[in-house]
Amino acid sequence: MSLMYYVYVATFTMLGLGVLFTLYRLVRGPSVLDRVVCLNTLSVLLVSAIAVEASVRGDTAYFGLMVTIALLGFVGTITAARFAERRAHDRG
């Protein structure tokens, strides 16, 4: 087995651990904003995993999927932040 195989396995292991820790925080998060940040982190980890897989295969077909997931994660986070800001402004 080549060195790149070990790099591939190590990368996916670290990404998997990141997903597990993020899911733990998503479930245990004390506030809604913590959960929103966790969902954004999950989208970043998913895009990273797709990028690694695409680089291993040498395929550029996944580029559109990566951009779409990243944009959805970004727009979702911005929307939740604006909603939270308005809610905090209305309270006090």
Side-chain angles (χ1 to χ4, degrees):
M1 290 190 204
S2 69
L3 178 64
M4 285 308 292
Y5 173 78
Y6 293 113
V7 170
Y8 175 71
V9 170
T11 303
F12 267 105
T13 302
M14 288 185 276
L15 285 171
L17 284 172
V19 167
L20 287 177
F21 291 144
T22 304
L23 287 175
Y24 174 76
R25 179 49 58 190
L26 183 67
V27 172
R28 297 261 326 196
S31 72
V32 174
L33 289 179
D34 288 334
R35 290 182 171 99
V36 169
V37 170
C38 286
L39 288 174
N40 188 25
T41 304
L42 281 175
S43 71
V44 168
L45 289 171
L46 179 63
V47 169
S48 300
I50 293 170
V52 169
E53 184 65 28
S55 68
V56 166
R57 291 179 187 233
D59 192 8
T60 60
Y62 296 110
F63 184 72
L65 178 65
M66 292 174 3
V67 169
T68 302
I69 292 172
L71 284 174
L72 285 174
F74 175 73
V75 169
T77 303
I78 295 299
T79 303
R82 284 191 177 195
F83 177 72
E85 180 186 14
R86 283 188 186 153
R87 193 170 176 190
H89 180 47
D90 291 342
R91 284 186 182 173

